[in-house]
Amino acid sequence: FPSHDNKIQDLGETEALVAMCHKNLLGNTELRQKMLNKHGLNEDTIRKFQLGLHPATKRAMIPIRTFSGSIADIRSYRYDAESGEAKIVSQKGAQTQLFTTCDISKETTVYVTEGEMKAMLLAQLGFPAVSSSHGAQSWREEFTHALRGKDVILLYDVDKAGRTAARKRCIELYKAAKSVKNVYLDCVQDIQNGDITDYFVKKHRSPQDLRELVAKTPEYVPPVSAPTFTFCTIVTGK
């Protein structure tokens, strides 16, 4: 597994800060309700992943930990981002991490999605999930190695960027994983940038619905290359 032991360098972002922001969020009923309404995340999940609320920036805080448990990044999310302002940002200089909701070494099947909030929701519903920490395009080769031998289920967004990233991920994972499924969430295609959160929160689908959708999704098989032909000139006698 990748080590991901590069701790963030900003001395202000420490375990103490994570604990303080977490306590601040637990005392903020309005934001906890917003997390439930928008992301489907309940209080148990907030506590499990030590989600927080920064008192100065008013951003929701998502600690990103290494496999050894140290903090490699703290992602901050603003619900009321103004025009031109990033909704979600990482610490300066933080390297892309594989955000995990479980010990993936003990799992035979792992779900891959776009974003930490979505991975946490899947985990809350009983699906061991991971996500790259800087968006669908931010995948590293070592993440592929971490999923070697697993049955990998891709649950990417239904927009163009999500489908493009999912196809690329299939190619990358095919030779390492035991199997790969690229699941299309057809019931959210009427929602702009529809995703797995919409599947559960807006469409009110159940975990069993997702299991059935995964079951009927065929395993990814690389496209067969077009055959090549060699042309030759046949000379016949007169």
Side-chain angles (χ1 to χ4, degrees):
F1 294 99
S3 62
H4 296 306
D5 282 329
N6 55 310
K7 293 185 180 181
I8 52 178
Q9 300 301 310
D10 188 343
L11 296 179
E13 305 295 352
T14 61
E15 290 285 358
L17 176 60
V18 168
M20 183 269 290
C21 291
H22 179 57
K23 183 177 180 180
N24 196 33
L25 175 57
L26 291 179
N28 190 307
T29 304
E30 181 181 355
L31 184 55
R32 292 203 317 275
Q33 188 62 45
K34 188 174 290 187
M35 284 187 167
L36 180 62
N37 294 342
K38 183 175 178 62
H39 302 292
L41 303 181
N42 61 30
E43 186 169 326
D44 287 343
T45 296
I46 288 172
R47 290 180 181 275
K48 178 180 179 180
F49 294 101
Q50 267 193 301
L51 303 185
L53 171 63
H54 196 287
T57 65
K58 305 302 180 184
R59 282 178 171 265
M61 309 291 281
I62 309 170
I64 309 295
R65 296 185 179 274
T66 68
F67 286 114
S68 63
S70 60
I71 296 176
D73 190 7
I74 301 180
R75 300 271 280 164
S76 61
Y77 184 99
R78 184 182 293 283
Y79 284 90
D80 55 348
E82 298 177 358
S83 178
E85 180 183 20
K87 179 177 290 186
I88 187 164
V89 296
S90 281
Q91 297 297 309
K92 184 177 180 181
Q95 191 177 45
T96 300
Q97 302 293 313
L98 186 63
F99 177 79
T100 62
T101 62
C102 59
D103 182 351
I104 58 177
S105 68
K106 298 178 180 179
E107 303 292 341
T108 57
T109 301
V110 178
Y111 293 74
V112 182
T113 190
E114 292 186 51
E116 301 86 0
M117 298 286 198
K118 299 168 191 176
M120 286 185 279
L121 175 58
L122 283 165
Q124 178 180 294
L125 296 172
F127 303 96
V130 302
S131 173
S132 54
S133 63
H134 290 170
Q137 304 297 332
S138 61
W139 193 261
R140 293 165 57 183
E141 185 177 355
E142 58 200 91
F143 301 166
T144 299
H145 295 324
L147 297 176
R148 182 175 297 278
K150 310 292 183 185
D151 291 310
V152 180
I153 312 298
L154 299 177
L155 293 171
Y156 278 36
D157 298 1
V158 300
D159 60 8
K160 183 178 180 180
R163 301 323 301 161
T164 299
R167 288 191 293 270
K168 183 177 180 182
R169 209 88 322 124
C170 284
I171 295 169
E172 294 165 332
L173 287 164
Y174 177 73
K175 292 183 179 179
K178 180 180 178 181
S179 69
V180 182
K181 287 190 174 186
N182 183 9
V183 178
Y184 183 70
L185 304 170
D186 55 349
C187 76
V188 302
Q189 60 185 335
D190 61 328
I191 300 175
Q192 184 176 8
N193 304 324
D195 58 24
I196 190 61
T197 299
D198 296 322
Y199 182 86
F200 290 117
V201 175
K202 293 184 178 180
K203 296 297 184 177
H204 308 292
R205 294 301 198 269
S206 69
Q208 183 58 29
D209 290 331
L210 180 59
R211 293 187 187 96
E212 292 175 2
L213 177 59
V214 170
K216 72 179 185 181
T217 300
E219 292 184 11
Y220 170 78
V221 177
V224 178
S225 300
T228 56
F229 299 94
T230 300
F231 295 92
C232 60
T233 301
I234 299 176
V235 179
T236 59
K238 293 182 180 180

